[in-house]
Amino acid sequence: MKLVQFYDVDESVHVGVVQDGQVIDISDRDQDITTSLDFVDVARRQRRTLDDVVAERVADAAGSAHDYAELLEADEPRLTMPLFPPQVWGCGVTYRRSAEFRDADMEGPMGIYDKVYQSDRPEIFYKGDTQHCAGPNEPIGIRVDSAFTAPEPELAYVLGYDNEIIGYTICDDVSAWDIERENPLYLPQSKIFLGCTALGPTFVTAGELTDPYHLDITARILRDGAVIFEGSANTDQIRHPFETLTAYLVRNNPVPVGTVVSTGTGIIVTEEAALHAGDVVEIEIDEIGLLSTPVRQLTADD
Ligand code: DO4
Ligand code: MG
C-alpha cells in the first residue's frame, strides 16, 4: 500500500491510499483515525498487519477520491508529509562517495569519514521531529549562517512498535555543509534547523516495496526552471543492512513508533549548486514517487 496524507480545504488532515492514479480517502473521522500513524496504531491493537487494516478500510471507504497527479500539484486540498514522525534520525557515510567527498573537503584531520565508512558502528545523528520536516511542495530551509546548504537525497524507513521496518519514504537530509566542514563537531548545527528534512510523497508499506536494496535514486536542483544539478545513486551501494543501522540506533535508546531513519546519501551536490532561495529540489525513488520542495531562506526571526 502507498499511503499519503493531505490537508483538505478546511485544513483537516486526511490519510489516503494511492491506487490506479487515485487517492482514496480512508480517514475515519468518527473513530479519530486521520493519520498514517493512527492506522499503524490500529494494526497494533488489532494484531494485524498495516496492509491488512488499510486494505479493509479501502474496501469500506465511503470517503472521496482525488486524482493523485492533481493532488501532487494542488494547493487545496494539498499533500503533506506521508506521516508525522515523532523523531527523525539520519545515518551518515553509508555510501563510499559520501566518505570520499567529506574527507577530501575537510580542513583538519583527514580520514575520519573513511574510518566511519569502514567501521562496524555506523554514524547516526538526530534530525529533529515533525516540526523540522517539510512534505511535498513545503519549503526546506537554508540557515541564516550557511552559504553552502545542500540536499542529501536518501531512502528512509519507518519503524514500528518492535523496531521492525513498516515502510519506506524519501528523505531529503538537507545539510549545511559549510558548518560541518568548518568542524565536524558542529554536525548537529549543520543537520538540525527548520526545514532540515523533507519527507514524501508516499509512505510505501514494507510488504509493497519490491526490494529496498535495489532502488534508483535521482535528484535535480532547478533554478528559474533550469536544471543546475542532476545526480543519481542506487541503494545497492549502501554499506550496512538496515537492521544494523536500527540495532545501533535503538541500543539503550528506545525510539517511538513512527520514527524515521534516513539511510545516507550517495549523491553529492557540487558547491556551485549550493541551494538558493527559490530553487526547487526534486528527488525521485522507484516505487515511492517524486518529492518536490521549494527552498526558503530562513531569517533571524525563524
Ligand atoms: O557525517 C556527516 C553526515 C553524513 C551524511 O549525512 C550522509 O552521508 O548522508
Ligand atoms: Mg545524509
Side-chain angles (χ1 to χ4, degrees), residues 24-26 28 53-63:
I24 302 157
D25 187 348
I26 58 166
D28 186 345
V53 169
V54 170
E56 184 182 80
R57 184 71 196 145
V58 170
D60 293 352

Side-chain angles (χ1 to χ4, degrees), residues 2-28:
K2 268 187 190 174
L3 302 180
V4 293
Q5 295 188 143
F6 60 96
Y7 290 108
D8 210 341
V9 286
D10 62 358
E11 289 297 308
S12 57
V13 67
H14 294 243
V15 56
V17 175
V18 184
Q19 269 183 4
D20 304 325
Q22 294 287 300
V23 174
I24 302 157
D25 187 348
I26 58 166
S27 320
D28 186 345

